[in-house]
Structure formats: C-alpha cells, structure tokens
C-alpha cells in the first residue's frame, strides 16, 4: 500500500518530460530503435577510429573484391585471426590472370594499430585505429582487411560506411535544427501577430508545400556551385533540406500559438508588462516543446532519404567526402550487384536508420500524447 | 435549412442531387478561382529556384560550343542573351516568362515559328520548345501516376478495413509489419532491390516500361502480357509507400470509428455489420485520406523522381534531372510547374470530394 502511494506520488510530482520519458521506456519498438540509433551515432562519432582506412585510400588489386576472409589456421597451425594478401596469380598453362589469396604469407590482425592519420573532433591529431593489418609473417606488406569487400575503385566499403555515416547521419540533424529554428520563429510570428503577417506566411507555406519535395530539392541542389569544399556543400545541403521541412514545423507552432494566445496566463503576463519576446520564449514555447520535438524527429527520415537521393544522383556530397548516398551510386548496374552483393550493405544501413527513426518518432508521439 | 439537413442524411441518390446544389457549386467556383493566385506564387518561387544556379544556359551553351572548337561572335552571344531575356533585371525576366506562358500574341516571332500562344521558352538540351518536350512525357507521367494512385486505393482500402475489423489477428500484424517496412524503405532503394530480384528469378531486370519490340510496334494484344509484367515493379515501387501510408491512416481512423457510441447503437438496433462498417464507419474514416489526395499526389511525384531514374521509366522525373544537369532551366522550371499544377488540381479534387463526403465542409470552406 505504502509503495503504491509512493509510486502515485512520484507520478504526480513528475514533470511533463519525466512522464514522457517513462512512457517512451514502455514503448518496446521505440526503445530498441533508441538503442540502435545510439549505436549508429556512437559509431559515427568514432568513425575514423573504427574505420581502418580513409575515404580515398584504394588498392586496385582489391577492386570489387568480396569481403576479406579471416582465417585462424595457417598451414595447419593455429596462429590467431589473420588474413591473406590478395595478389595476381597467372595460370601457368592459360596465362589467365586471376586475383586470389596468396597463402604463402599470413598477416595477423592487430587491434589498436597505427594507420591513416586523422583528427579527433576535427582538431586532435591521431592515427590510432581499432584494428588493421600491417606486416606479414615474413615482413611482407600490402595486405588489406576489407570486412565488407571493396568497391569498384578498390576502396574499403566498411570504412566508407562508417566515415559516410558521419555525413549521412548528421545532415538530417543539422537540417532539423535549422528547420526547427525557422519553424518556431515564423510559426510564432504568424500565430502571435496574426492578421496580414499571418496571411503572408501561410501563403508562403502553402506554396512551398504544394511543390513536390524531391524535384524541388533537386532543383535547389543543382544550384550548389561547383568546386567548393565539402564543408560548404554540407552547409548548402542542410539549408536545402530545411527549406521544405520548416513549413510543417511552422504549421504546428502556429496552431499551438492560436490556441495558447487567448489563455489567461498569457493575458496575465501581458498585463504585468512582460515583453512579447519573453512571452513567446518563456511562456508559450515550453508549452508545446514536446510536440515540436516529435515533429522534428518525424521529419528526420525524409531528410535522410533526401540526402541519400541527392548524393545518389551526384547532386549532393562529392568525393573525396562520402555518404551512404554516394556509396549507393555503385548499385546502378544490376549485373554488377548480382555478382557483388556486398555492395548492397549501405542499403541495410540506410533502411535500418530510417526504420529506427520512424519507430522512435512513433514512440515519441505516443509518449507526448497526454491522453494515451 | 432544416429540411435540407434532413435531405443530406438521406440516400445515396439524394446525396448526388444535393451535390449539385447552389452552395456547393459556389464553393467549387471559389476553390477553382483560389488556385490561380497560388499558382502565380508557385511560379515565382520556382523561377527564383531555377535562377539560383550560377551562370545561365546561354553561357553553358557557349562553353559547350567553345569546347567543340567553335567560336561565336560576341554580337551573336549578345543577341542570344537578349532573345532569352538574360540581359534584363530579375523581375522583368520573371514577368516575361510568366506573360509568355499565359498568352503570347500572334504577332510575335514565337507564334510565327511554333504556332502556339503559350511560350514556355526553348529547351536547349532537347532542341525543341519546352512545351513540346513536356507534351511528350505528360501522357505517360499522368497515366502512370493516376494508375498507381488508383491501384493504391484499390489495394489499401480493403486491406485497411480488414485490418481494422480483425484487429490483433495474424493478418493485421502481418499488414502492420509490411506497412512499416513499406513506409520506411526509400523508393529508389526498393527499385534497386526489385530489379535485382527480378534479374535473379527471371534473368531479366525488367528495366523500362516498354521493350524494344513495344517501342517499335506499340502495345498490342500480342505483347500485353509482357507489358503487364513490366508494370509490376513500377507499381510496387511507386505504390508501396502510399499504400502503406493509406492503410495505416484508414486503419487508425476505422478503429476510432468502430469504438464510437453510434456504432454500438447501430449494432444494438440490429443494423447489419456490413452496413455499419461500409456505410457509417468507412464513410467517416475515409475523410483524412480524401484530404490527403493532393499530398499523396505530391508524394508520388516526389517518390517517382529518383525511382523512375533507377527503373529507366521515361516520365517527367528523369527528364527534370537531365534538364537540371544541363542547366536547361526553363525546361526544369516548366516540369516542376506542371507537377505543382497537378498537385493543386489534386488538392482541389480532394476539397470537392470532401465537400461531398462531409456536409460541414461546404459551409465552413475548404480543408485547408
């Protein structure tokens, strides 16, 4: 009995956010999605460390190779996890050159090896990688470990997935942040002031949402000037993606403002001389922040698809940088894919991320709904 | 007024009769008139967007010619720029574009050359007037989009109603699962996967709507089977997202309606289950789906852009992409404009359909 009272009490004194958090924990799919997304973002953060190679490191022998086999026994003797080097072997009779494993020498896999230098968080120089192969048993060089195989230029798909995720997973987030800002600002102005301002902003929203999204994105990304740095392209892409997404946000905000505007506490604040800006940011916005977070989360999957499609078509991220969309360019030839199915691995990552964001968004929506 | 209200709740034919009543007609006229200002605004936004890329297509064209080793005298270049209004300030360029589209008088060079009163400008990359290009792709685009939309509703409505009336059954779970996957997987990725599966199973990736033979002889009884086979993948790829969305929305609405007290009352009075579901619950539940008609059309255009490129279906999306790459900005602008126009028409039809479904709309004006 005492326990029940206690738990009731903790329910009554909990803030809205705590209540939301509790409900979210009960949503099984949302919880699983949260874990998956957490792992994906964690890996993206450590991308350079996990990836054994850089985005443009290549070896033409490893062109279109299938995932590197990891062996345990060399000539019947257990020597721990190691790989063989790929090399060209010509058939003595037919002189046909094939690429296969050279089993003369083995290359043990080491953890925490030194390799391609990179910068942690953009400024701390480092060259430590989670794993890698360096020297062979007889001091040979040139073996590589491509866990997901190589692409058509002989680059490591595994490394490129994690390095690409740094772009593919963050662009939607930055775009969501920009559209959140724009949406709240314009929606608030529209809903709070009403009248002519409201009319104009509403027409703009209507017009933007009447134009089909991806054609508009394509048209806008055609405007990205050529020959600019990756950071600038990144910046342009976030702006383009948020150019459409803010409209939904502004609609939500405006609706909430219209309903909150006539509440007594707003009148009280106005009478006590609180400035308009303060009323909006300290009294109104917290009132519907949870709805906003939900609508931001639910806008992320379409941004991911947008970035992927733009980069897939070559209108987005360009080499030397990479993203999942750029990697999918490899899948344009069906016959190539059928013989190298490992090139489809980026698709799994895109799909899992989009699914996880969808489930997470649904869970958030249910959690933010006080009537459920 | 009271009399009219009772009539509206009457039978289906009376519903059709009331459809043509004056209030509805005036509402429809008002809605049609409201399209024009929004189209004008849309055209402005599109014009701004297509003007954004650095350079213009006369410079791109000249660069291409120079690349091929041809030299152009500066006067010709100036003349070209003047012909395409590129020497004018931005607002005048927009004005000349939009004015030409609405009406080009008979005394202009354009009319004498092409015999059209609507000057959508010239497409450099295709070497034809823009409208000629659009007219080539419009029938297939509209036909395919409409067919996919009808397919979407034909498939999703029975499945959604089944799912709602058999909640928590195996079929319901299966549909929800497929629904989630379908809504989450981007269309072009689905297209790639479908093509690979088709190639693995049949040895033919079934790329494109028409085979070589069909392009030569057209579609006739002899090859209709092959044509239908080629339609399967585009329908799955273009329709799955929308179908899943519609199933989810109708299912949720139906579940809401089925638990309403009026359903219980109807059941208590002995109304047949079929009638309860289809005449009362379904009519109320389909409301948001009808509202979303314009949006789902927009999603279809959006989704089909990249998927059509992967599947090599020559509808407007791939043409838009080529136009954007070759800086053929008037063609790109015209395609986005036509798509936006079709979406506006979709929204209009949705509003009219809604006014027919829900009498309250007629008196308060529109779904948006």
């Amino acid at each position: 009995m005492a326990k029940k009272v206690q738990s009731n009490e903790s329910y009554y004194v909990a803030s809205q956010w705590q209540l939301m958090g509790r409900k979210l924990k009960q949503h099984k799919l949302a919880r699983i999605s949260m874990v998956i997304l957490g792992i994906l973002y964690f890996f993206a953060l450590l991308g350079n460390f996990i990836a054994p190679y850089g985005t443009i490191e290549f070896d033409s022998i490893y062109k279109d190779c299938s995932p590197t086999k990891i062996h345990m026994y060399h000539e019947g003797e257990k020597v721990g996890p190691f790989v063989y080097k790929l090399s060209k072997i010509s058939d003595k009779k037919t002189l046909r050159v094939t690429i296969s494993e050279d089993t003369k020498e083995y290359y043990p896999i080491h953890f925490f090896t030194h390799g391609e230098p990179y910068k942690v968080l953009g400024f701390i120089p480092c060259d430590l990688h989670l794993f890698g192969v360096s020297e062979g048993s007889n001091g040979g060089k040139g073996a590589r470990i491509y866990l997901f195989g190589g692409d058509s230029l002989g680059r490591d798909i595994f490394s490129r997935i994690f390095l690409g995720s740094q772009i593919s997973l963050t662009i939607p987030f930055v775009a969501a942040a920009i559209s959140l800002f724009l949406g709240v600002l314009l929606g608030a102005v529209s809903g709070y002031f009403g009248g002519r301002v409201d009319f104009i902003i509403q027409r703009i929203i209507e017009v933007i949402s009447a134009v089909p999204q991806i054609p508009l994105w394509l048209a806008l990304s055609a405007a990205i000037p050529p020959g600019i740095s990756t950071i600038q392209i990144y910046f342009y892409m976030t702006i383009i993606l948020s150019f459409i997404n803010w409209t939904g946000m502004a609609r939500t905000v405006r609706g909430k403002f219209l309903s909150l505007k006539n509440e007594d506490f707003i009148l009280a604040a106005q009478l006590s001389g609180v400035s308009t800006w303060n009323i909006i940011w300290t009294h109104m916005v917290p009132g519907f922040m949870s709805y906003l977070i939900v609508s931001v989360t639910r806008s992320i999957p379409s941004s991911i698809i947008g970035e992927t499609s733009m980069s897939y078509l070559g209108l987005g991220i360009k080499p030397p940088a990479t993203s999942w969309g750029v990697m999918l360019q490899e899948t344009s030839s069906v016959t190539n894919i059928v013989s190298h199915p490992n090139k489809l691995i980026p698709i799994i990552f895109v799909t899992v991320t989009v699914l996880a964001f969808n489930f997470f968004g649904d869970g958030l929506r249910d959690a933010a709904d006080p009537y459920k | 007024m009271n009399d009219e209200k009772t009539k509206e709740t009457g039978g289906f034919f009376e519903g059709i009769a009331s459809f043509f009543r004056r209030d509805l007609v005036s509402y429809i006229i008002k809605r049609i008139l409201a399209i024009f200002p929004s189209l004008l605004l849309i055209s402005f936004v599109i014009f701004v967007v297509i003007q954004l890329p650095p350079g213009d297509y006369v410079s791109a064209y000249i660069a291409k010619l120079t690349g091929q080793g041809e030299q152009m005298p500066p006067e010709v270049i100036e003349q070209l720029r003047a012909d395409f209004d590129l020497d004018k300030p931005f607002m005048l360029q927009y004005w000349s574009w939009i004015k030409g589209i609405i009406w080009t008088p008979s005394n202009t060079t354009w009319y004498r050359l092409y015999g059209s009163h609507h000057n959508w400008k010239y497409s450099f990359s295709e070497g034809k007037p823009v409208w000629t290009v659009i007219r080539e792709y419009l029938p297939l685009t509209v036909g395919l989009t409409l067919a996919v939309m009808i397919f979407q509703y034909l498939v999703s409505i029975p499945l959604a109603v089944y799912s709602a009336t058999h909640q928590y059954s195996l079929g319901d779970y299966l549909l929800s699962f497929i629904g989630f996957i379908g809504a989450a997987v981007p269309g072009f990725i689905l297209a790639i996967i479908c093509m690979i599966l088709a190639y693995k199973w049949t040895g033919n990736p079934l790329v494109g709507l028409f085979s070589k033979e069909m392009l030569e002889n057209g579609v006739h009884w002899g090859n209709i089977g092959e044509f239908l086979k080629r339609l399967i993948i585009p329908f799955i790829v273009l329709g799955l997202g929308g179908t899943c969305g519609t199933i989810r929305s109708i299912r949720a609405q139906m579940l809401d309606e089925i638990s309403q007290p009026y359903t219980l009352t109807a059941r208590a009075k002995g109304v047949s289950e079929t009638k309860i579901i289809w005449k009362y619950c379904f009519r109320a539940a389909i409301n948001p789906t009808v509202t979303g008609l314009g949006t789902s059309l927009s999603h279809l255009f959006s989704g089909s852009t990249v998927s059509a490129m992967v599947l090599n279906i020559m509808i407007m999306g791939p043409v838009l992409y080529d136009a954007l790459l070759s800086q053929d900005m008037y063609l790109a602008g015209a395609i986005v404009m036509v798509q936006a126009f079709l979406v506006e028409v979709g929204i209009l039809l949705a509003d009219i359909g809604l006014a027919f479904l829900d009498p309250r709309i007629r008196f308060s004006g529109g779904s948006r």
Side-chain angles (χ1 to χ4, degrees):
Chain A
M1 189 66 199
K3 212 175 181 185
K4 201 182 173 192
V5 169
Q6 214 175 15
S7 74
N8 267 349
E9 199 169 347
S10 82
Y11 180 79
Y12 293 134
V13 296
S15 74
Q16 194 199 352
W17 293 104
Q18 283 169 325
L19 288 177
M20 259 179 83
R22 265 180 224 173
K23 267 200 232 164
L24 195 61
K25 269 187 207 152
Q26 285 163 13
H27 200 291
K28 223 184 223 164
L29 272 174
R31 214 171 53 204
I32 297 170
S33 308
M34 220 152 73
V35 172
I36 291 175
L37 290 174
I39 293 172
L40 282 170
Y41 274 93
F42 183 67
F43 281 176
L45 190 71
L46 296 179
N48 297 91
F49 171 66
I50 291 170
Y53 304 103
T55 48
I56 46 171
E57 256 189 281
F58 71 98
D59 188 338
S60 51
I61 287 190
Y62 284 79
K63 188 167 88 86
D64 287 336
C65 68
S66 45
T68 309
K69 286 190 199 98
I70 295 173
H71 303 269
M72 296 297 278
Y73 294 91
H74 178 66
E75 289 166 355
E77 197 184 330
K78 189 177 177 186
V79 286
F82 68 90
V83 298
Y84 286 121
K85 183 179 161 182
L86 287 191
S87 50
K88 281 181 190 157
I89 295 165
S90 53
D91 194 307
K92 296 239 165 62
K93 278 181 199 153
T94 58
L95 294 178
R96 195 176 152 212
V97 177
T98 47
I99 291 174
S100 59
E101 286 183 331
D102 178 4
T103 51
K104 273 182 237 134
E105 193 177 3
Y106 67 88
Y107 295 78
I109 299 169
H110 294 295
F111 287 95
F112 302 107
T113 53
H114 296 277
E116 170 103 351
Y118 60 92
K119 282 180 179 144
V120 181
L121 301 173
F123 61 92
I124 309 166
C126 185
D127 66 348
L128 203 63
H129 291 270
L130 180 61
F131 63 91
V133 284
S134 47
E135 281 190 351
S137 50
N138 302 332
K141 278 196 164 71
R144 284 166 178 268
I145 175 164
Y146 281 5
L147 286 183
F148 291 165
D151 67 5
S152 57
L153 291 175
R155 296 172 297 193
D156 179 22
I157 292 179
F158 179 82
S159 300
R160 284 168 64 77
I161 282 181
F162 288 102
L163 295 172
S165 75
Q166 293 179 332
I167 285 179
S168 289
L169 288 178
T170 54
I171 277 190
F173 243 77
V174 180
I178 297 176
S179 45
L180 178 68
F181 174 75
L182 277 178
V184 171
L185 190 74
L186 290 164
V189 167
S190 184
Y192 192 85
F193 294 105
R196 199 170 290 170
V197 182
D198 181 36
F199 181 80
I200 293 172
I201 293 178
Q202 285 312 303
R203 292 295 88 72
I204 293 174
I205 290 177
E206 232 165 62
V207 163
I208 292 181
S209 41
V211 183
Q213 220 174 30
I214 286 184
L216 193 57
W217 272 336
L218 291 187
L220 283 169
S221 51
I224 299 178
I228 58 173
S229 72
T230 307
I231 293 172
Q232 277 169 310
I233 294 182
Y234 186 93
F235 179 71
Y236 275 113
M237 285 185 70
T238 53
I239 301 256
I240 290 171
L241 290 172
S242 50
F243 181 76
I244 295 173
N245 279 344
W246 71 268
T247 55
M249 232 76 79
R251 254 189 203 154
T252 318
V253 174
R254 176 176 172 267
K256 290 285 160 197
F257 257 89
L258 288 182
S259 62
L260 281 180
K261 195 162 73 169
N262 300 324
E263 293 283 335
D264 289 339
F265 71 93
I266 300 298
L267 186 68
Q270 277 168 343
L271 288 179
S272 21
V274 183
S275 72
T276 308
W277 184 255
N278 257 342
I279 289 181
I280 291 180
W281 287 104
T282 59
H283 296 289
M284 294 176 99
V285 172
F288 52 80
M289 207 54 202
S290 55
Y291 289 93
L292 273 182
I293 302 282
V294 172
S295 96
V296 166
T297 314
R298 288 165 68 82
S299 80
I300 287 181
S302 77
S303 297
I304 295 179
I305 295 173
E307 184 275 323
T308 312
S309 331
M310 269 148 74
S311 300
Y312 173 72
L313 296 173
L315 289 170
I317 297 293
K318 291 180 180 71
T322 190
S323 79
W324 292 344
V326 176
M327 299 185 71
L328 288 181
Q329 288 172 0
E330 294 257 323
T331 62
S332 48
S333 148
V334 174
T335 42
N336 187 358
I337 285 304
V338 171
S339 43
H340 307 290
N342 56 305
K343 287 185 183 174
L344 289 175
I345 293 172
I347 286 184
I348 299 171
F349 277 80
V350 176
T351 313
V352 166
T353 312
V354 171
L355 258 178
F357 265 115
N358 270 329
F359 285 134
F360 182 58
D362 281 356
L364 263 186
R365 185 196 52 200
D366 290 350
D369 186 353
Y371 300 107
K372 266 198 173 167
Chain B
M1 197 63 205
N2 236 352
D3 249 355
E4 283 174 11
K5 276 261 162 84
T6 46
K7 242 188 219 166
E8 260 151 23
T9 52
F12 181 69
F13 292 105
E14 281 163 53
I16 288 187
S18 75
F19 184 74
F20 292 107
R21 280 214 321 274
R22 194 182 296 157
D23 52 347
L24 192 63
V25 170
S26 77
Y27 168 68
I28 292 174
I29 291 174
K30 242 188 269 167
R31 273 299 283 112
I32 291 178
L33 288 180
I35 276 192
F36 293 103
S38 31
L39 274 183
L40 208 64
L41 270 176
I42 290 173
S43 72
F44 184 72
V45 171
I46 290 173
F47 195 74
V48 171
V49 171
I50 63 175
Q51 289 289 323
L52 278 178
D56 50 63
Y57 63 61
V58 169
S59 355
Y61 181 61
I62 290 162
K64 196 175 135 201
L65 284 186
T66 327
Q68 290 166 355
E70 276 182 51
Q71 284 297 322
M72 259 196 169
E75 313 90 69
V76 179
I77 296 175
E78 276 312 301
Q79 185 56 42
L80 260 179
R81 296 183 69 84
D83 281 352
F84 289 92
D85 302 321
L86 294 171
D87 51 349
K88 288 187 194 142
F90 178 80
M91 281 315 284
L92 278 181
Q93 280 188 41
Y94 170 68
W95 175 237
S96 126
W97 184 60
I98 201 74
K99 200 176 65 178
I101 290 174
I102 295 169
W103 186 252
T104 307
S106 337
N107 60 357
T108 49
T109 335
W110 182 267
Y111 185 78
R112 261 174 266 135
L113 274 178
Y114 302 111
S116 159
H117 279 299
H118 306 285
N119 174 2
W120 289 75
K121 305 269 168 176
Y122 195 78
S123 156
F124 257 129
S125 58
E126 299 266 338
K128 286 175 246 183
V130 166
W131 189 248
T132 318
V133 181
I134 298 235
R135 219 169 39 198
E136 258 172 55
Y137 298 106
L138 196 61
L140 190 61
T141 310
V142 173
L144 190 67
T145 311
L146 278 184
V148 170
M149 258 189 115
I150 292 168
F151 165 81
Q152 255 179 32
Y153 289 122
L154 281 185
V155 172
S156 56
I157 288 173
L159 287 181
V161 172
Y162 171 83
S163 199
T165 48
H166 298 75
Q167 199 188 0
Y168 304 133
S169 69
L170 185 68
D172 181 35
Y173 278 122
L174 201 67
L175 277 174
S176 303
F177 179 72
I178 296 174
F180 267 121
I181 302 282
V185 180
F188 75 98
I189 288 184
L190 198 63
I192 295 172
I193 294 171
C194 282
M195 265 161 55
I196 291 167
L197 291 181
Y199 183 78
K200 276 205 162 160
W201 289 337
T202 66
N204 181 358
L206 296 174
V207 175
L209 272 188
F210 306 103
S211 65
K212 242 185 198 160
E213 192 253 324
M214 281 179 225
L215 285 178
E216 279 162 16
N217 307 327
V219 179
H220 51 77
W221 281 113
N223 58 18
I224 191 114
E226 168 78 9
F227 178 65
L228 288 179
K229 224 198 274 167
R230 279 167 180 272
L231 274 180
I232 297 174
I233 291 181
F235 267 62
I236 292 176
V237 169
L238 301 181
L240 190 67
T243 310
C244 295
T246 319
I247 290 181
R248 267 168 85 179
S249 134
I250 297 183
R251 177 179 175 272
Q253 287 291 321
M254 278 298 279
L255 285 178
D256 264 8
E257 293 297 331
I258 288 175
S259 58
Q260 294 279 324
Y262 77 82
T263 317
L264 193 65
T265 314
R267 216 169 263 155
K269 288 177 108 180
V271 182
S272 78
E273 197 64 18
T274 326
K275 204 169 175 188
I276 293 177
I277 296 295
W278 289 102
K279 193 178 170 196
Y280 298 104
C281 296
F282 178 67
R283 191 173 165 179
I286 203 167
N287 213 325
T289 309
V290 176
T291 319
L293 193 86
T295 331
S296 71
L297 195 62
S298 166
H299 281 307
L300 255 181
F301 281 132
S302 191
S304 69
T305 311
V306 190
S307 328
M309 265 177 251
V310 175
L311 294 173
N312 198 18
I313 303 170
M314 282 323 269
I315 56 176
M316 277 190 204
V319 182
L320 171 74
Y321 175 68
D322 292 339
L324 285 171
L325 281 194
S326 55
Q327 289 228 334
D328 200 348
M329 281 329 195
Y330 285 124
L331 179 58
I335 290 174
V336 183
M337 189 74 211
V338 168
Q339 290 186 341
F341 173 74
L342 291 173
V343 171
E344 281 286 320
V345 171
I347 294 174
L348 173 77
L349 289 180
D351 276 357
I352 294 174
L354 211 57
F356 179 56
L357 269 180
D358 188 344
R360 284 167 300 182
I361 307 280
R362 285 173 231 170
F363 302 106
S364 61
S367 62
R368 46 177 189 168

